[in-house]
Amino acid sequence: MLELRNVDTRYGQIPMLRQVSMKVEAGEAVCLLGANGAGKTTLLKTILGMVKPTAGEVIYNGQRIDHLPPHKIIASGIAIVPEREGLFPKLTVEDNLLFGAYYEKDKDIIKSRLEEALTIFPRLKERYHQKAGTLSGGERKMLGIARALLSGPQLLLMDEPSLGLAPATVIEVYDVIARIKAEKNITILLIEQNAQKALEVVERGYVIQKGSIILEGSTEELQENEIIKESYLAVN
Ligand SMILES: Nc1ncnc2c1ncn2[C@@H]1O[C@H](COP(=O)(O)OP(=O)(O)OP(=O)(O)O)[C@@H](O)[C@H]1O
Ligand SMILES: [Mg+2]
């Protein structure tokens, strides 16, 4: 469904991603693990067309998308839950959710997506008319995920969903991710530093370090890997 082939990116003269190749097949949940500054968000921005590769290709459903503007890429069925949710703090939960369905014109489809999201996130139903800026960190994270689902994505990109949350809330967020994976036909690319949680829900993963993919493997292979054990599992 999604493939990066030998992608390079730069910020000005400074190289960031270096020869990054990775694949996510339809129906899979895949994680990308990496430390602060490794290039995780840059990789997501490259998929979304917000950072343009200086070499290589990004292919989605058999088509090159790296030359497309971000809104076209998002309209083609890719949704993102950004690092800092990117909500509209002065708008209500309802309006933030509806913004996720921006490209959907069919009111019945929007209504059924909304109902489904509120079943997965009952807390958002309780807070439906509350302004997003007044939600707790965990609730904002849930709203960010729910809003992404409102677009009816084929591919869901999540940038560090556990970031900044208390351990109990991380568990709640990951329960939701596991539920989305089990109940919905959505392909997931999950970006994390929290390897332990990410490896609970994915089948496969990659590790990025200083802009290069240094490791890839099945969940089991990554859990057993010494680099992962030392650098990513120990700290969490
Ligand atoms: N717009 C930019 N201009 C210049 N440098 C940038 C820009 N955006 C990111 N960088 C640099 O690129 C590197 C990778 O950043 P990126 O945000 O991709 O890291 P990350 O893996 O997502 O890290 P984190 O876990 O902290 O979110 C960092 O050194 C960062 O300072
Ligand atoms: Mg980041």
Side-chain angles (χ1 to χ4, degrees):
M1 171 175 274
L2 178 75
E3 186 175 358
L4 280 78
R5 282 190 200 148
N6 302 318
V7 169
D8 287 349
T9 69
R10 290 172 169 270
Y11 287 121
Q13 289 307 304
I14 303 167
M16 186 54 244
L17 298 184
R18 299 161 196 256
Q19 294 288 298
V20 167
S21 294
M22 64 184 292
K23 254 189 200 181
V24 184
E25 306 285 359
E28 267 190 320
V30 172
C31 71
L32 175 74
L33 305 173
N36 288 123
K40 303 182 299 299
T41 301
T42 301
L43 192 147
L44 281 195
K45 287 184 174 168
T46 307
I47 296 169
L48 292 170
M50 294 155 72
V51 169
K52 294 293 175 196
T54 49
E57 300 177 353
V58 182
I59 293 147
Y60 174 62
N61 286 336
Q63 309 269 340
R64 267 187 84 164
I65 57 166
D66 44 89
H67 60 283
L68 295 177
H71 70 270
K72 288 240 163 87
I73 295 173
I74 286 167
S76 72
I78 302 182
I80 170 125
V81 183
E83 249 171 332
R84 291 171 211 20
E85 307 87 25
L87 303 168
F88 298 103
K90 299 217 163 120
L91 297 185
T92 61
V93 167
E94 177 182 23
D95 289 338
N96 272 281
L97 284 171
L98 289 173
F99 194 79
Y102 187 78
Y103 291 107
E104 181 55 64
K105 299 297 166 226
D106 186 325
K107 290 214 167 61
D108 292 336
I109 293 179
I110 296 174
K111 190 160 171 269
S112 74
R113 282 186 196 157
L114 204 49
E115 279 167 9
E116 190 182 20
L118 294 175
T119 329
I120 302 177
F121 303 92
R123 197 105 63 87
L124 296 181
K125 199 169 182 176
E126 290 165 26
R127 313 220 166 261
Y128 203 52
H129 300 292
Q130 191 171 322
K131 289 199 170 83
T134 65
L135 296 175
S136 74
E139 289 163 353
R140 284 205 302 276
K141 193 64 76 177
M142 299 290 187
L143 181 52
I145 300 172
R147 184 183 59 175
L149 293 181
L150 258 287
S151 68
Q154 289 181 7
L155 174 64
L156 182 61
L157 311 175
M158 280 189 264
D159 197 351
E160 298 200 51
S162 71
L163 190 70
L165 301 179
T169 314
V170 171
I171 292 173
E172 280 181 48
V173 167
Y174 267 84
D175 284 346
V176 162
I177 296 172
R179 189 166 166 195
I180 293 168
K181 189 182 164 223
E183 293 178 15
K184 298 183 67 70
N185 186 24
I186 297 178
T187 306
I188 296 174
L189 176 58
L190 177 62
I191 294 209
E192 266 296 359
Q193 291 190 54
N194 188 336
Q196 196 166 355
K197 289 310 286 181
L199 292 172
E200 281 177 15
V201 293
V202 300
E203 285 106 43
R204 256 171 9 90
Y206 295 84
V207 179
I208 187 169
Q209 197 175 73
K210 294 183 186 153
S212 300
I213 302 284
I214 55 155
L215 198 65
E216 66 173 287
S218 67
T219 305
E220 294 72 27
E221 285 164 346
L222 293 179
Q223 273 161 339
E224 293 307 314
N225 186 281
E226 292 304 322
I227 299 174
I228 303 267
K229 278 190 194 167
E230 277 170 31
S231 316
Y232 299 97
L233 291 173
V235 293
N236 291 303

